[in-house]
């Protein structure tokens, strides 16, 4: 007997994932194709747009080949993607440059110059702090260095736009991905004139801005055949991974915060309207005509644990590594870790930031370092959360997703540091479920975005240990003093 299913394509930093869900959010099947990152020079991080598009096609083909899924049961496809990527393409939409992804830091000087000149004005209109992750900063670098692909380009687009153009023959970008460029004026819902003038780009070189419910039609017949779907299957443009992770976890009401903790991390909250901070501590991106998402991303989530694993040449699994931290009480017996090993976005917005261990003594062992790294990652998220509360109000409820959320030790640590209940989803595909739900809403299968709250399988609710919370509050004060003192050495 046939049943209605929905598919999501999540084009991430490390892979393209295709995920099939039932209408209530239950996971049916998933498939993943990896995407390679290249590091041709220090601070340069690039990917191949052709590989990204092929991985996206392959992931959909793979997931539809699993189990007893019938393509006739798929009602629609929702799209989701990582933010802040940039490609130069010619008139035929052939890539002239690799994809510069969010982690690319080559435009650090341009971002610094913005902060010292007109950056506050641009931020006030776009909601994106001055940082080299921004495609706006990347375009400034291209302009100032006379980057040949920039000079030859007919259009500029993100990896998601590139895939859409290849599949549907249109140049469109949703509100949130446009916000992530640093060139979208959220007050006017149009490309920002000042950012355009500074970057040397005109609006015709950028895509048409559309709502996340935009339905894409005219899928290329050959691509449809390769993926094993009908060319008439409706695709919905969706949004960026951050916005959709909030939606997919149910964190869409005031006071509800979503924390994503994978290789990198972020903490975000939905709000009505548009609001920025005077200190540029957080971003504010559009999602729908009425809703924005406010929050901050960190460069240093699970990547800090990966770094430590390699540093100490630990041969066990990540589960075994994190278990080492259970040997040590909260506070790691005086060891503190500033997790800025990969530069940092929120809340300091300094790519030149550096990581530090503080308080080491001859008695400390690897388990102390592991505990300190996990606590440092969590303190940094808490720091961003405090900046978020200044703009959006008190955090009342936390939803968590991502690779680190699979560690019971870390999830308990998160609850203890924040002093709040933590809601853990049954599926770690929150962004994909948000994309799928947006597709269901756009095609009339569900009545509202808010209805998703009744369709999220929750695995567990983690209660905070308030004694640990009281300790962590004091330890966090020490962490902040050290972080502030070290800023001048970045």
């Amino acid at each position: 007997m046939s049943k209605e299913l929905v598919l999501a394509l999540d084009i991430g930093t490390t892979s393209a994932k295709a995920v099939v869900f039932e209408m209530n959010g239950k996971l049916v099947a998933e498939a993943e194709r990896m995407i390679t990152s290249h590091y041709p020079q220090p601070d340069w991080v690039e990917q191949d747009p052709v590989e990204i598009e092929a991985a996206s096609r392959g992931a959909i083909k793979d997931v539809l080949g699993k189990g007893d899924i019938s393509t006739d049961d798929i009602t629609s496809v929702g799209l989701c993607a990582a933010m802040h990527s940039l490609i130069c393409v010619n008139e035929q939409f052939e890539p002239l440059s690799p994809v510069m992804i969010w982690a690319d830091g080559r435009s650090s000087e341009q971002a610094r110059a913005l902060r010292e000149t007109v950056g506050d004005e641009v931020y006030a209109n776009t909601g994106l702090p001055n940082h080299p992750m921004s495609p706006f900063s990347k375009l400034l670098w291209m302009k100032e260095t006379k980057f040949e692909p920039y000079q030859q380009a007919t259009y500029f687009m993100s990896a998601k736009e590139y895939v859409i153009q290849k599949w549907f023959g249109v140049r469109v970008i949703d509100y949130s991905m446009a916000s992530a460029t640093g060139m979208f004026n959220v007050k006017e819902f149009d490309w920002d004139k000042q950012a355009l003038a500074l970057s040397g780009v005109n609006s015709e070189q950028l895509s048409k801005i559309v709502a996340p419910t935009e339905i894409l039609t005219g899928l290329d017949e050959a691509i449809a055949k390769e993926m094993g779907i009908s060319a008439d299957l409706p695709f919905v443009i969706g949004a960026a991974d951050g916005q959709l992770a909030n939606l997919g976890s149910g964190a869409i009401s005031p006071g509800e915060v979503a924390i994503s903790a994978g290789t990198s991390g972020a903490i975000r909250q939905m709000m009505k309207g548009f609001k920025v901070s005077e200190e540029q501590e957080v971003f504010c991106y559009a999602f729908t005509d009425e809703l924005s998402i406010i929050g901050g991303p960190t460069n240093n989530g699970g990547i800090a644990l990966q770094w430590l694993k390699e540093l100490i040449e630990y041969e066990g699994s990540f589960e075994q590594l994190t278990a080492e931290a259970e040997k040590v009480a909260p506070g790691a017996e005086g060891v503190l870790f500033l997790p800025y090993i990969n530069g940092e976005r929120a809340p300091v917005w300094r790519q030149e930031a550096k990581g530090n261990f503080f308080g080491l003594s001859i008695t400390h062992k690897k388990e102390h370092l592991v505990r300190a790294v996990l606590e440092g990652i969590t303190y940094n998220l808490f720091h961003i959360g405090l900046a978020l509360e200044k703009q959006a109000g008190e955090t009342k409820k936390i939803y968590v997703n991502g690779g680190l959320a699979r560690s019971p030790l870390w999830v308990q640590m998160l609850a203890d540091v924040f002093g709040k209940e933590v809601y853990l989803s049954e599926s770690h595909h929150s962004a994909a479920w948000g994309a799928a739900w947006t597709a269901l809403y756009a095609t009339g299968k569900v009545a509202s975005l808010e209805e998703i709250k009744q369709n999220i399988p929750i695995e567990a609710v983690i209660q905070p240990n308030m004694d640990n919370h009281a300790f962590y509050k004091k330890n966090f004060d020490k962490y902040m003093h050290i972080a502030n003192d070290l800023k001048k050495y970045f």
Side-chain angles (χ1 to χ4, degrees), residues 259-469:
I259 293 178
S260 297
T263 304
S264 56
I267 176 169
R268 302 168 301 263
Q269 185 177 161
M270 292 279 190
M271 63 178 291
K272 288 190 175 181
F274 173 71
K275 190 175 183 181
V276 295
S277 66
E278 289 184 9
E279 299 88 358
Q280 287 198 39
E281 291 180 306
V282 293
F283 60 68
C284 187
Y285 297 156
F287 176 43
T288 67
D289 292 314
E290 295 183 349
L291 290 174
S292 295
I293 192 162
I294 189 167
T298 167
N299 287 359
N300 299 287
I303 196 171
L305 202 60
Q306 171 72 42
W307 165 80
L308 179 66
K309 188 174 186 289
E310 294 174 0
L311 181 71
I312 64 176
E313 298 182 347
Y314 190 84
E315 295 182 357
S317 67
F318 278 102
E319 290 76 16
Q320 291 169 322
L321 180 65
T322 54
E324 294 283 348
E326 296 180 19
K327 301 175 183 177
V328 184
E333 295 183 16
V335 183
L336 283 165
F337 177 65
L338 296 182
Y340 308 146
I341 58 164
N342 197 29
E344 192 49 288
R345 291 181 285 174
V348 299
W349 299 102
R350 299 280 293 277
Q351 187 61 27
E352 62 272 26
K354 297 293 184 289
N356 285 271
F357 279 109
F358 174 86
L360 287 171
S361 76
I362 200 167
T363 61
H364 290 126
K365 298 179 174 63
K366 65 177 178 294
E367 52 263 34
H368 297 90
L369 300 185
V370 176
R371 180 108 202 176
V373 166
L374 289 170
E375 289 178 345
I377 293 168
T378 315
Y379 286 150
N380 198 41
L381 287 167
F382 185 66
H383 187 188
I384 303 169
L386 293 177
L388 176 59
E389 286 190 342
K390 293 178 191 175
Q391 307 302 312
E394 181 187 356
T395 297
K396 298 176 181 176
K397 197 172 182 179
I398 296 173
Y399 298 85
V400 64
N401 61 81
L404 274 176
R406 300 177 196 176
S407 165
L409 171 69
W410 182 76
V411 174
Q412 184 64 59
M413 186 182 293
L414 183 73
D416 294 351
V417 169
F418 278 79
K420 307 287 183 183
E421 290 181 337
V422 172
Y423 288 72
L424 192 61
S425 175
E426 188 177 293
S427 166
H428 61 277
H429 294 299
S430 296
W433 178 227
W437 190 265
T438 304
L440 293 174
Y441 175 56
T443 55
K445 292 290 183 180
V446 297
S448 68
L449 292 177
E450 291 75 16
E451 199 176 308
I452 197 172
K453 280 181 169 290
Q454 285 75 54
N455 295 278
I456 299 170
I458 296 296
E459 177 182 311
V461 181
I462 312 302
Q463 301 293 332
N465 180 317
M466 297 311 289
D467 289 336
N468 285 350
H469 175 63

Side-chain angles (χ1 to χ4, degrees), residues 72-263:
D72 294 335
D73 296 339
I74 306 295
T75 61
S76 56
V77 181
L79 301 181
C80 169
M83 293 179 271
H84 313 301
S85 60
L86 180 64
I87 319 168
C88 305
V89 301
N90 64 16
E91 192 172 359
Q92 290 74 42
F93 304 105
E94 296 165 338
L96 299 173
S97 72
V99 182
M100 296 167 62
I101 68 169
W102 64 267
D104 191 286
R106 73 186 73 180
S107 61
S108 293
E109 290 300 322
Q110 286 72 28
R112 186 182 297 109
L114 268 177
R115 284 196 296 269
E116 295 169 355
T117 54
V118 296
D120 288 350
E121 297 172 32
V122 178
Y123 169 69
N125 289 323
T126 64
L128 178 58
N130 305 312
H131 189 271
M133 73 175 182
S134 159
F136 175 46
S137 292
K138 293 175 170 68
L139 285 169
L140 293 177
W141 176 87
M142 291 181 178
K143 179 184 176 184
E144 290 177 18
T145 61
K146 296 181 171 55
F147 187 55
E148 190 172 336
Y150 165 90
Q151 295 177 320
Q152 297 174 349
T154 304
Y155 306 110
F156 302 94
M157 55 179 58
S158 67
K160 181 181 179 183
E161 293 163 80
Y162 177 80
V163 171
I164 289 171
Q165 200 288 320
K166 288 293 179 185
W167 291 6
F168 298 95
V170 293
R171 283 192 304 121
V172 288
I173 184 171
D174 63 83
Y175 296 155
S176 59
M177 293 295 289
S179 277
T181 66
M183 301 178 70
F184 177 66
N185 189 309
V186 186
K187 298 173 182 176
E188 300 176 357
F189 267 63
D190 200 357
W191 296 116
D192 185 73
K193 295 179 180 61
Q194 185 178 23
L196 290 173
L198 289 168
S199 65
V201 171
N202 63 66
S203 58
E204 288 74 27
Q205 292 179 285
L206 304 177
S207 298
K208 177 184 176 184
I209 304 164
V210 298
T213 50
E214 178 83 2
I215 297 175
L216 303 168
T217 58
L219 177 62
D220 181 274
E221 292 277 358
I223 291 173
K225 184 177 180 181
E226 181 183 342
M227 291 193 292
I229 60 175
S230 166
D232 296 326
L233 180 66
F235 279 64
V236 175
I237 194 169
D241 52 4
Q243 283 82 340
L244 292 174
N246 270 62
L247 178 64
S249 61
I252 53 178
S253 300
E256 295 178 343
V257 164
I259 293 178
S260 297
T263 304

